Amino acid sequence: MVNLVHVAKKQLVQRLAKMAGLRQRAVDVDDAGTVISIWVPKDKLPAGPTAEEMETERRKKETKRNGGRLSVVLLHGFAGDGILTWVLQVVALARHYDVYVPDLLFFGGSVSPAGADQTPGFQAECVASALRRLGVERCVAVGFSYGGFVAFKMAEADPALVVSVVATGSLVYMTRSTSEAMLRRLGAASFAEFLLPNDVAGLKSLFAAGTYRKWWLPDRVLSDYMKLMIFNRKERTQLLEGLVVSDEDAAVVVRSYRQTG
């Protein structure tokens, strides 16, 4: 049976992204098997699609990178991959900015070997590495939900790259106490239970909590969405476990920020 969401993504979402001037590429970020799938402005791509050719071209054009336009990096949450989450924003923003839309690790086409780090910090490192290899020197990181945590980590780890952060539905840190309070409010035993639903009813609850307007889709479409988008459950569960930090550790970081101004 045809997956309706897969057809819509191919025929509508990806077509809109291409009409906005973006092309999808896979970037090897560490030469150890970690690959970030990312939508890139087509005029920023060298003729060769491999990571090695991209790096060579980047060095040749060091003084001409980004063409004077601000780069905007859109980071998705747990409910979808990059381009499915952000396609409408891509259409609007690509007129004025160089827009980059990565799939975070274990989403979309991005992969990492077994045993890889499962923290937002590693996600941030991989996205930053992909951007560097594509010639991006400065950017605004825009994150939704889980993507917001990654955006803040990018800014923390690489302030020379990230000019500013725009985040929605997110925090700088997910502390243990905040996590427990949110789960009580959601009525869920864990974030994995809520963010990685096993049935259509669970997906409806996720969408209801994550969208401003209430909207309706047939169960067939929601079922197809789950089949296409919710995979790598083990790895994504580990990502959620790696997201939570102790209140004490978060307080230490906040104090250090205040001391450094």
Side-chain angles (χ1 to χ4, degrees):
M1 184 179 294
V2 174
N3 187 302
L4 299 178
V5 178
H6 177 74
V7 172
K9 184 181 177 183
K10 288 286 187 181
Q11 299 300 321
L12 178 60
V13 173
Q14 294 185 356
R15 185 169 295 182
L16 285 173
K18 290 178 179 179
M19 289 175 61
L22 274 65
R23 297 294 183 269
Q24 191 174 24
R25 288 292 182 269
V27 182
D28 187 338
V29 299
D30 61 3
D31 300 320
T34 299
V35 176
I36 292 291
S37 175
I38 182 170
W39 286 82
V40 181
K42 64 180 181 181
D43 60 338
K44 300 301 176 184
L45 285 172
T50 67
E52 292 79 7
E53 291 169 325
M54 290 178 182
E55 181 68 9
T56 299
E57 189 71 13
R58 182 188 69 81
R59 291 172 179 171
K60 288 180 180 178
K61 298 182 177 181
E62 185 171 1
T63 60
K64 299 180 180 179
R65 283 181 282 189
N66 297 325
R69 299 213 310 176
L70 181 63
S71 295
V72 175
V73 182
L74 304 177
L75 303 168
H76 63 85
F78 254 71
D81 61 19
I83 202 62
L84 191 64
T85 299
W86 293 109
V87 64
L88 296 180
Q89 288 77 16
V90 166
V91 171
L93 293 172
R95 303 169 188 168
H96 309 289
Y97 305 98
D98 290 333
V99 180
Y100 296 79
V101 189
D103 292 332
L104 297 175
L105 292 177
F106 309 115
F107 296 84
S110 294
V111 297
S112 192
D117 192 346
Q118 308 286 2
T119 63
F122 184 63
Q123 294 272 17
E125 178 185 332
C126 292
V127 172
S129 178
L131 293 171
R132 293 288 194 188
R133 293 193 178 210
L134 290 167
V136 178
E137 287 188 316
R138 301 282 280 169
C139 69
V140 173
V142 180
F144 165 67
S145 187
Y146 181 73
F149 291 97
V150 177
F152 283 123
K153 280 295 183 182
M154 284 178 61
E156 178 184 350
D158 199 344
L161 174 66
V162 180
V163 176
S164 59
V165 171
V166 180
T168 179
S170 188
L171 299 165
V172 177
Y173 289 100
M174 175 64 76
T175 63
R176 181 70 58 187
S177 60
T178 300
S179 169
E180 292 171 351
M182 289 181 66
L183 289 173
R184 286 195 299 269
R185 182 177 179 182
L186 293 169
S190 67
F191 283 114
E193 174 188 308
F194 183 70
L195 292 170
L196 299 171
N198 291 300
D199 52 35
V200 167
L203 185 60
K204 288 180 178 179
S205 297
L206 173 59
F207 283 164
T211 56
Y212 173 69
R213 295 182 181 275
K214 304 300 180 184
W215 43 276
W216 176 87
L217 287 172
D219 286 0
R220 161 71 191 283
V221 173
L222 294 173
S223 178
D224 284 353
Y225 187 95
M226 288 185 60
K227 293 174 184 175
L228 182 67
M229 287 292 158
I230 301 180
F231 57 95
N232 285 336
R233 288 177 177 270
K234 176 183 176 181
E235 291 82 1
R236 295 189 193 185
T237 297
Q238 292 170 344
L239 292 180
L240 291 169
E241 293 170 350
L243 181 63
V244 180
V245 300
S246 71
D247 291 65
E248 293 77 13
D249 288 346
V252 169
V253 176
V254 170
R255 283 197 297 270
S256 68
Y257 283 156
R258 289 174 177 171
Q259 290 170 0
T260 58

